[in-house]
Amino acid sequence: MKRDPSFTSTAAGVAGNAFNRRQMLRVLGAAATLPLLSGLAACSGTSTAAGPVATTSSGAAATGGAAGATAVGGATTSSTASGSLSFVYYGDANQQAQFKSLFAEFNKINPAITLQAQGIASASWATFSNTVATRIAGGQIPDIIQIATEGQRIFASKGLLEPLDPYIARDKALVDNYYADIDPNLKAWTTKYGSTDGKTYYMPGGYNTVCMYLNTEILAKAGATVPTGDWSWDDFKAAAQQVKDKTGAFMLPVGSGYFTDVMPWLTTNGAATFNADWNVPTFNTAAAVEAVTFAKSLIDAGLAPKPGGAFDAATNMSNGKLAGLAGGRWPTIDMRRLKIVDKVQIVKWPKKIADGSPVGWDAWPITKASKNKDAAWEFIKFLISKPAGDYFATIGGTIVPARLSVAKSASFTTNAPKGSGLLSDAIAYATPIPSPDRGAEIQKTIEDAWLKVISGNGDAQSTLEAANTKLKTLL
């Protein structure tokens, strides 16, 4: 789950976050109207569309060992699988270059498998999904697709994916090793939201939660204390006022991004946009109204920049003009780029009622049209192995590794802000980002209403009431 590391706000009012990964169903909803399901088994299992492709192949024969054999730590050994295998993932030029070395390691273990791994450099998950959906509609179906939370249920429901249960049974020891090393929520959520018929279509991968990145130098100049544990909304606002009074800096961009702006305030007040089954909107509750009202109060008090325009949060944090920003793992990349890792600390989101965070995660399926499912399974086994997890953490990927042993290791915490372990802690109390079908329309309704309130263009209660009514019609 490679996250868009951009922190530039847009005129639409997502101050501090151009993070649009949560628009995935805009594409998938469109894809659902296309003739995807007819004749899939006859389609090619390898994408031939133009684009950056990392291909690794030694051309050598398999070197013995039964398929599914494992080594200590969950790493796969060589298997009897062979042939060509295509994998489509979200990745810019830098990630593509880094992943080539990971793919080369896979090929050392499985020299008879030719991996054609295509990273699609996209501005957002919506753009990535649009590209993939268009290719699928045209019959260019990869063996494996990187699918984020929002798309998992709809892809499975369209009959595009192969059930993994036989493969999991065949490699039970390896899969059990993986499940034992991830938070149980991750497995439970993938089952709940990634299947409509009780079958298993995905192996869950890395994820992102939301915590707060704080510039400790700015807080120190303001005489404000960096929280070491829980802190309240009132604590947060008091610190923000100190920062403003003493340094002139803003405390936090307050925008309308579903994942990074709306859900953190809702979940820390015991609220959400939908119920746990995503079939009843709850955007008009008293707790939700209180959350958006509090967010607006930060802008009204001058503790956050006004929505709209451009505001590069990471750069402003580096320049001493911003004390905090929201994010999962991905802001760490900017902290490194700006050389301020040692000045930044990750803390829990301040709470009113309870700890809270949204969470979104990657999952790995095998397409039903794949002509090389055994090889695809070998690749998934590699992706969930501890060595692969260590690699993703070491190269500074924009996700929290699924394996807790990796997320708590030096591979993940070295050259990262203090408190990075809180990102993996948050999955224990996080709320999956609600993503019913017609998710793009639903997200827009939520974000538009939130923006209307925080911009002072609508009363909180009536605006959320109207949005909630519209959400009901969209369901």
Side-chain angles (χ1 to χ4, degrees), residues 233 237 254-256 261-269 271 283-300 446-456 458-465:
W233 286 3
K237 196 167 186 178
V254 174
S256 58
D261 297 295
V262 177
M263 285 297 291
W265 293 118
L266 289 179
T267 56
T268 52
N269 202 32
F283 196 36
N284 64 338
T285 63
V289 171
E290 185 178 29
V292 72
T293 300
F294 180 79
K296 180 179 182 299
S297 75
L298 299 175
I299 298 171
D300 293 343
I446 292 166
E447 292 181 343
D448 285 352
W450 195 271
L451 178 60
K452 185 176 181 179
V453 176
I454 64 174
S455 300
D459 169 74
Q461 183 68 57
S462 61
T463 301
L464 296 198
E465 286 282 3

Side-chain angles (χ1 to χ4, degrees), residues 292-356:
V292 72
T293 300
F294 180 79
K296 180 179 182 299
S297 75
L298 299 175
I299 298 171
D300 293 343
L303 308 179
K306 292 182 179 180
F311 186 85
D312 188 324
T315 299
N316 277 282
M317 176 178 275
S318 175
N319 292 339
K321 298 177 181 179
L322 179 69
L325 56 82
R329 174 64 165 183
W330 68 91
T332 295
I333 309 306
D334 267 342
M335 303 301 103
R336 291 171 177 171
R337 176 178 60 83
L338 295 167
K339 303 185 186 305
I340 58 172
V341 169
D342 293 340
K343 299 179 181 179
V344 175
Q345 182 172 335
I346 297 175
V347 301
K348 294 168 69 173
W349 200 269
K351 65 183 179 181
K352 181 67 182 293
I353 299 297
D355 291 333

Side-chain angles (χ1 to χ4, degrees), residues 135-154:
R135 292 179 184 182
I136 290 175
Q140 299 173 359
I141 306 177
D143 297 288
I144 304 173
I145 311 167
Q146 181 186 23
I147 300 180
T149 310
E150 300 86 338
Q152 291 164 22
R153 182 165 65 180
I154 197 167

Side-chain angles (χ1 to χ4, degrees), residues 97-443:
Q98 293 165 337
F99 290 156
K100 284 182 182 180
S101 60
L102 175 66
F103 301 148
E105 290 303 311
F106 168 76
N107 197 235
K108 289 178 184 177
I109 298 169
N110 297 275
I113 299 175
T114 301
L115 176 64
Q116 294 178 313
Q118 184 170 44
I120 298 177
S122 300
S124 69
W125 274 94
T127 306
F128 168 81
S129 301
N130 186 39
T131 303
V132 173
T134 300
R135 292 179 184 182
I136 290 175
Q140 299 173 359
I141 306 177
D143 297 288
I144 304 173
I145 311 167
Q146 181 186 23
I147 300 180
T149 310
E150 300 86 338
Q152 291 164 22
R153 182 165 65 180
I154 197 167
F155 261 102
S157 70
K158 295 301 176 182
L160 292 168
L161 309 178
E162 181 76 7
L164 298 182
D165 303 277
Y167 300 95
I168 292 172
R170 188 178 73 187
D171 286 304
K172 186 176 185 300
L174 182 146
V175 174
D176 285 349
N177 171 277
Y178 180 61
Y179 284 155
D181 197 18
I182 68 176
D183 190 280
N185 281 336
L186 194 56
K187 179 178 182 293
W189 291 330
T190 304
T191 300
K192 179 179 177 68
Y193 300 113
S195 178
T196 58
D197 59 8
K199 296 178 182 178
T200 304
Y201 293 100
Y202 301 96
M203 288 300 296
Y207 58 89
N208 262 310
T209 51
V210 174
C211 289
M212 195 174 290
Y213 285 66
L214 294 179
N215 185 315
T216 56
E217 282 193 349
I218 295 177
L219 266 69
K221 288 179 181 178
T225 302
V226 178
T228 56
D230 292 343
W231 58 328
S232 69
W233 286 3
D234 288 341
D235 295 333
F236 170 79
K237 196 167 186 178
Q241 192 64 60
Q242 282 183 260
V243 167
K244 186 68 174 180
D245 292 343
K246 299 293 185 180
T247 71
F250 292 119
M251 185 65 175
L252 182 79
V254 174
S256 58
Y258 190 18
F259 193 72
T260 50
D261 297 295
V262 177
M263 285 297 291
W265 293 118
L266 289 179
T267 56
T268 52
N269 202 32
T273 53
F274 287 85
N275 66 345
D277 291 327
W278 298 353
N279 58 11
V280 177
T282 58
F283 196 36
N284 64 338
T285 63
V289 171
E290 185 178 29
V292 72
T293 300
F294 180 79
K296 180 179 182 299
S297 75
L298 299 175
I299 298 171
D300 293 343
L303 308 179
K306 292 182 179 180
F311 186 85
D312 188 324
T315 299
N316 277 282
M317 176 178 275
S318 175
N319 292 339
K321 298 177 181 179
L322 179 69
L325 56 82
R329 174 64 165 183
W330 68 91
T332 295
I333 309 306
D334 267 342
M335 303 301 103
R336 291 171 177 171
R337 176 178 60 83
L338 295 167
K339 303 185 186 305
I340 58 172
V341 169
D342 293 340
K343 299 179 181 179
V344 175
Q345 182 172 335
I346 297 175
V347 301
K348 294 168 69 173
W349 200 269
K351 65 183 179 181
K352 181 67 182 293
I353 299 297
D355 291 333
S357 168
V359 62
W361 62 95
D362 279 355
W364 315 109
I366 298 174
T367 59
K368 186 173 289 186
S370 171
K371 294 183 178 180
N372 203 348
K373 294 181 177 66
D374 283 343
W377 176 243
E378 290 303 318
F379 187 55
I380 289 176
K381 284 163 56 179
F382 175 75
L383 289 174
I384 67 174
S385 70
K386 190 173 185 300
D390 281 327
Y391 176 85
F392 277 115
T394 301
I395 64 172
T398 57
I399 59 172
V400 180
R403 284 183 175 269
L404 294 172
S405 61
V406 177
K408 298 298 184 182
S409 73
S411 298
F412 186 70
T413 59
T414 298
N415 193 23
K418 181 180 178 182
S420 289
L422 292 173
L423 295 171
S424 59
D425 290 345
I427 196 171
Y429 57 77
T431 299
I433 183 77
S435 307
D437 294 351
R438 301 183 71 177
E441 297 167 272
I442 283 170
Q443 177 175 323

